[in-house]
Amino acid sequence: MGLKGYVVKRPLDILTEEEVKRIHYGTLEVMAKTGVVFHHKKALEILGDAGCDVDREKELVRFPNYLVEESLRKCPRRVLLKGMTPEYDVAVGDPYVHFASCIAMDTLDLETMDRKIPTMQDHINMAKVLDYLDEVHLHYGQYVRAEGVADMCIHPQRFNITVKHALKPSITAGVFGNEVWLIKMAQVVGQNPAGHAQCSPPLTWSTDKIDCMLHYIDAGFPILPGTGLATGMTSPVTLAGALVQQQAEILSGIVLAQTVKPGIGVIVKGRIEPADMRTGMIAEGGVEKVIADAAWNQIWRWYQVPRWHTVVSTDSKVPDYQCGMEKALHFLLSALTGSNIIAGIGGVYDEITVSPVVAIMDNELARRIGKMIDGVNVNEETLAVDLINKVGPIPGQFLSTEHTRKLWKSELLIPALADRMGYSEWVGGGKKTSLDYAKEKYEEIIATYNPSPLSEDKEKAIDEIMEEARKFYKSKES
Amino acid sequence: MSNEILESLKKAVIEYNNEAATRWARKAVEEGVDPIKAVDALTKGIRQVGDGFSQGELWLPELVGAADAMKSAMPIIEEEIKRRGKKRETAGVIVLGTVKGDIHDIGKNLVATFLTIDGFNVIDLGVDVAAEKFIKAVKKHKADILALSALMTMTGQEQRKTIDALKKEGIKDKVKVMIGGGAITQGFADDIGADAYDPTAVGAVKLARRLTRK
Ligand code: B12
């Protein structure tokens, strides 16, 4: 039961065991010596009671090593995210790799490929496309804004759309407390979307992010403690140093969570981005980020805590060679090193734009990566020793054998979007590119895929919660 | 002696040396060096680094390093200028910050650096800055420009609130407001009554020059 994703049989290491330990010990030293700021009265109290050294005036918490390691052991090895029905459940953790959508502000106009603010219909179309695609296992919402939707309503609004038009489970977020409405809706539909709470580097948790984490914990939903470092700006410029700092930020969140509710599900987010020292711009598609994520995967495999990555995206503004190259490299190394969720499907420009046609192309990318991870299937039948002996040298051939007829479909991946025709056929077919195929697929999905997972009662109930949220923020405006 | 001190101040900036900048600034005061000349020396240093940046020979770490060194020396020298009852000539005074609710500051810090290098006196209030705090600082420093950064659509509304608060205080026409940050557009700037907008930190300098042209 459930959506399975891919199994990474032998994850790739990019650090030595010794290096993993040095990063870990470095982290423990930073946590014990400098500590992490929590702008949150209750969190300070909880952590003080748990055995941390708390400086209330500076709101600074120093963590004894034993407590950090104890908290790590309380994290479950797998986290089950519930879909609309059990066949859509996703078990996040080793040895599985799953794919999720990216999240961004805007969409791309399908004709001009220019950036534009999404409409509610764009949200619905994106939710449907993501739900349809076989290699997308989790929704991370569609866009972080929509024409005509009040800014503060966006997280509940986009979740409202996801559950109305999709069957797969979600990971979610919140800003300034708006997650409370989303949590209520999830309770109505019987899902447990994991909640993203992000530390502000260096070493600082803001009030609303701790509130957010506590809201999700309170609901009994898994949490996604994360951070987002810009190397040389908000963290050391070196990847090793950035890893040490990032670990300290995430682990401090885990200590809080496991103290509040021991055993609460945790999926950690790594995100180290190189800042380009010529301009200060953050390079989402930089290879440094790919390497950092690979190292992060290895460290958290060692801790045995599920992990994910978001904005596995590109700096390119359109689906071009740069876009394909940056995403392919990132998806592949993340999968090989054991990321449990790669949240990058649909991403084009940083976390500024996502596009459903890019999601369709990424689906193809994810399929190919899945095939690569599966690797070589070795057994008596596939080794084909008897067959080779039987066919022998030329004029022997394999095309007419039972073996080929039976096994070619499981051995060969038939691309859905790529061109493999001869030149004249390609010209005759209108010189289509993968983008053309993706656009055709998009039209087909929108026209034919219409799941309606919710009963009328439930739809009504979540719409009422949405309305409540709208009224709440409207009254705050005036 | 005076020349050696001035040279050393400039050198401290082009060598990104905060400690030396502070030390030579103290020395300048002790030895009675004209503080206006001391500022000039620091400015020469920072211009040199700025030119290196424009020519693609130096990068942000150097630029920010030089600006930091200058910042280490300035309070000491400004104190002396005040003591002597003189006034420092700057391109203008700019109060800058990221608005309330928003803690994104990478872009804002770049804006501060570029403005400093261009000769503006930048008072950086940091992040999560409420409208009242901006207004207090504008009054206190008699700012020519108020520069607001916001990275989220939600916190863009704080820019509007800050401008409204300036109007309420009756000082909207005394200070020019420029805004920027990832979520901001020209349309939004027009809508909330900001005087200027630019999508880049380099553009912020051009805006500031334009807005302070008397
Ligand atoms: C780095 C980052 C963070 C870091 C910030 C670290 C720091 N110290 O700044 C961390 C991880 C802490 C973070 C947290 C959050 N972030 Co954030 N973050 C980003 C990210 C990836 C990059 C921003 C950046 O620094 N860019 C580089 C700089 C150089 O660019 P810039 O700031 O735009 O500045 C340039 C210009 O705009 C201009 N400029 C800037 N200010 C000014 C001012 C003036 C006057 C002028 C003229 C020009 C100007 O000059 C600069 C250089 O050219 C963006 C996505 C993106 N790629 O933009 C999201 C993004 C801004 N974050 C976002 C969000 C939602 C959040 C969180 C709420 C996430 C969460 N759920 O926890 C929290 C918010 C916390 C808070 N209350 O503020 C959203 C905002 C969406 C929206 N439009 O509403 C974005 C767009 C990502 C997304 N798609 O979701 N974030």
Side-chain angles (χ1 to χ4, degrees):
Chain A
M1 277 298 227
L3 298 173
K4 271 288 168 274
Y6 292 96
V7 172
V8 188
K9 282 177 276 193
R10 238 174 306 119
L12 187 71
D13 287 343
I14 73 154
L15 300 167
T16 63
E17 216 172 286
E18 223 30 63
E19 286 167 339
V20 171
K21 283 185 190 155
R22 284 180 74 179
I23 291 170
H24 176 61
Y25 299 150
T27 300
L28 291 180
E29 182 181 327
V30 169
M31 293 180 80
K33 195 170 167 186
T34 294
V36 177
V37 165
F38 283 73
H39 291 304
H40 199 282
K41 293 260 153 5
K42 194 170 152 204
L44 293 176
E45 226 167 82
I46 295 168
L47 290 167
D49 290 346
C52 295
D53 171 13
V54 176
D55 178 335
R56 273 168 209 270
E57 205 177 314
K58 292 189 182 145
E59 306 193 307
L60 187 69
V61 182
R62 295 191 180 85
F63 296 81
N65 288 356
Y66 81 89
L67 186 61
V68 177
E69 300 201 322
E70 212 173 86
S71 303
L72 268 173
R73 280 193 292 276
K74 288 183 190 160
C75 296
R77 304 293 169 244
R78 284 226 187 120
V79 173
L80 188 82
L81 295 175
K82 286 190 227 152
M84 281 300 175
T85 56
E87 59 269 38
Y88 290 95
D89 290 353
V90 170
V92 181
D94 288 331
Y96 303 122
V97 178
H98 292 100
F99 289 93
S101 54
C102 201
I103 190 150
M105 281 160 73
D106 291 345
T107 191
L108 292 185
D109 182 278
L110 290 180
E111 284 314 310
T112 63
M113 289 290 147
D114 284 335
R115 183 181 159 183
K116 68 164 199 157
I117 299 180
T119 59
M120 288 279 272
Q121 191 59 48
D122 287 322
H123 272 258
I124 295 171
N125 292 352
M126 188 66 168
K128 279 167 52 166
V129 166
L130 292 169
D131 211 53
Y132 172 90
L133 295 172
D134 283 340
E135 313 311 319
V136 182
H137 310 99
L138 292 157
H139 289 270
Y140 186 26
Q142 304 89 30
Y143 308 95
V144 293
R145 63 172 167 178
E147 228 168 59
V149 174
D151 293 328
M152 279 306 292
C153 291
I154 193 64
H155 289 291
Q157 182 66 69
R158 69 178 209 209
F159 186 68
N160 177 289
I161 288 172
T162 309
V163 291
K164 275 186 191 160
H165 298 276
L167 302 162
K168 296 168 185 169
S170 283
I171 44 187
T172 54
V175 190
F176 305 135
N178 65 6
E179 65 278 354
V180 295
W181 316 97
L182 191 159
I183 289 170
K184 278 191 195 178
M185 287 186 213
Q187 283 162 336
V188 169
V189 303
Q191 286 198 352
N192 62 339
H196 181 200
Q198 181 160 272
C199 186
S200 307
L203 306 172
T204 307
W205 283 95
S206 67
T207 313
D208 68 312
K209 291 304 150 206
I210 294 297
D211 277 339
C212 178
M213 191 192 289
L214 294 177
H215 286 148
Y216 277 95
I217 293 176
D218 198 39
F221 296 175
I223 53 156
L224 309 165
T227 176
L229 314 179
T231 58
M233 297 268 184
T234 56
S235 83
V237 75
T238 49
L239 293 185
L243 283 162
V244 167
Q245 182 188 315
Q246 174 163 258
Q247 300 285 102
E249 287 162 357
I250 304 295
L251 283 169
S252 67
I254 288 184
V255 173
L256 176 67
Q258 294 302 347
T259 307
V260 174
K261 201 170 212 165
I264 188 84
V266 172
I267 308 168
V268 294
K269 183 192 88 173
R271 188 170 168 199
I272 291 174
E273 297 156 327
D276 191 319
M277 289 302 162
R278 296 167 304 175
T279 57
M281 296 311 283
I282 307 227
E284 211 64 66
V287 284
E288 300 79 5
K289 185 176 174 198
V290 181
I291 303 166
D293 281 355
W296 167 263
N297 288 334
Q298 187 179 340
I299 296 165
W300 289 87
R301 266 196 277 119
W302 185 60
Y303 290 153
Q304 300 183 332
V305 175
R307 63 216 77 94
W308 72 301
H309 295 105
T310 180
V311 206
V312 187
S313 188
T314 169
D315 299 304
S316 176
K317 318 299 181 277
V318 287
D320 61 353
Y321 182 82
Q322 181 188 347
C323 173
M325 169 178 67
E326 291 181 343
K327 295 187 77 173
L329 292 173
H330 204 161
F331 277 36
L332 180 61
L333 196 64
S334 294
L336 290 175
T337 51
S339 176
N340 301 126
I341 304 172
I342 300 172
I345 301 279
V348 198
Y349 165 29
D350 196 304
E351 47 182 346
I352 308 290
T353 55
V354 285
S355 156
V357 290
V358 177
I360 292 166
M361 293 195 281
D362 286 342
N363 186 68
E364 174 89 4
L365 177 57
R367 256 180 93 210
R368 291 188 186 210
I369 288 169
K371 176 80 183 166
M372 288 164 83
I373 293 174
D374 283 347
V376 183
N377 182 9
V378 181
N379 59 40
E380 272 308 299
E381 191 180 29
T382 58
L383 280 166
V385 175
D386 289 347
L387 181 70
I388 298 166
N389 282 330
K390 192 171 150 204
V391 170
I394 294 178
Q397 49 79 21
F398 296 87
L399 189 54
S400 65
T401 62
E402 163 74 17
H403 192 261
T404 303
R405 274 197 304 283
K406 184 176 165 202
L407 295 177
W408 81 269
K409 281 185 188 139
S410 56
E411 286 288 314
L412 200 70
L413 182 145
I414 305 289
L417 300 180
D419 167 65
R420 281 184 177 175
M421 288 183 282
Y423 191 78
S424 57
E425 288 158 290
W426 175 68
V427 173
K431 298 186 179 175
K432 278 186 197 164
T433 64
S434 46
L435 185 59
D436 298 318
Y437 290 116
K439 284 183 182 173
E440 285 171 11
K441 188 75 196 171
Y442 172 75
E443 298 302 335
E444 182 198 318
I445 298 169
I446 297 306
T448 57
Y449 185 70
N450 280 308
S452 47
L454 297 183
S455 66
E456 246 174 63
D457 294 354
K458 285 190 177 162
E459 256 195 45
K460 200 165 153 248
I462 62 164
D463 282 343
E464 276 167 16
I465 297 168
M466 196 59 237
E467 195 45 42
E468 218 183 304
R470 253 180 237 127
K471 279 195 188 133
F472 177 81
Y473 292 115
K474 187 126 195 115
S475 73
K476 280 189 101 180
E477 255 172 47
S478 47
Chain B
M1 189 66 197
S2 161
N3 267 347
E4 190 203 338
I5 294 174
L6 293 176
E7 264 315 300
S8 302
L9 278 169
K10 181 181 162 198
K11 198 161 158 242
V13 172
I14 60 181
E15 288 179 353
Y16 330 113
N17 191 336
N18 298 356
E19 184 272 326
T22 317
R23 186 156 39 81
W24 285 104
R26 290 218 183 89
K27 187 103 178 150
V29 174
E30 274 165 30
E31 302 285 330
V33 173
D34 180 353
I36 303 292
K37 280 194 183 152
V39 175
D40 283 347
L42 293 166
T43 310
K44 266 188 211 144
I46 204 120
R47 285 268 156 78
Q48 187 173 324
V49 176
D51 289 346
F53 181 79
S54 311
Q55 282 151 21
E57 284 158 9
L58 298 175
W59 312 105
L60 284 175
E62 285 85 18
L63 206 57
V64 177
D68 267 7
M70 175 149 175
K71 263 195 255 165
S72 319
M74 276 316 282
I76 301 164
I77 292 173
E78 265 175 346
E79 191 60 41
E80 177 67 7
I81 296 177
K82 237 207 244 143
R83 202 185 61 80
R84 295 193 182 193
K86 289 198 178 177
K87 234 183 116 68
R88 171 188 162 204
E89 286 298 320
T90 68
V93 178
I94 302 183
V95 167
L96 165 75
T98 302
V99 297
K100 191 173 156 201
D102 203 321
I103 54 101
H104 295 90
D105 67 358
I106 295 173
K108 187 249 333 161
N109 293 346
L110 293 180
V111 171
T113 303
F114 286 131
L115 289 172
T116 305
I117 287 176
D118 208 59
F120 287 92
N121 179 12
V122 179
I123 291 126
D124 186 348
L125 302 182
V127 298
D128 193 14
V129 181
E132 308 81 64
K133 203 168 159 197
F134 278 122
I135 289 185
K136 240 174 147 179
V138 164
K139 286 185 179 163
K140 180 172 166 208
H141 301 282
K142 302 201 176 59
D144 301 298
I145 296 177
L146 174 60
L148 307 172
S149 183
L151 267 278
M152 296 192 282
T153 18
M154 291 159 216
T155 52
Q157 293 308 326
E158 285 296 325
Q159 296 184 330
R160 183 196 297 276
K161 277 191 201 158
T162 307
I163 291 177
D164 289 348
L166 284 173
K167 286 183 190 153
K168 232 169 143 191
E169 284 286 314
I171 55 170
K172 172 70 182 56
D173 51 351
K174 296 231 169 64
V175 60
K176 300 281 186 218
V177 182
M178 65 179 194
I179 64 170
I184 308 307
T185 60
Q186 184 64 53
F188 181 75
D190 295 341
D191 184 40
I192 67 170
D195 297 293
Y197 157 79
D198 198 275
T200 67
V202 178
V205 174
K206 291 192 194 124
L207 292 186
R209 284 194 202 148
R210 199 183 79 209
L211 293 173
T212 48
R213 209 174 289 146
K214 301 267 155 59

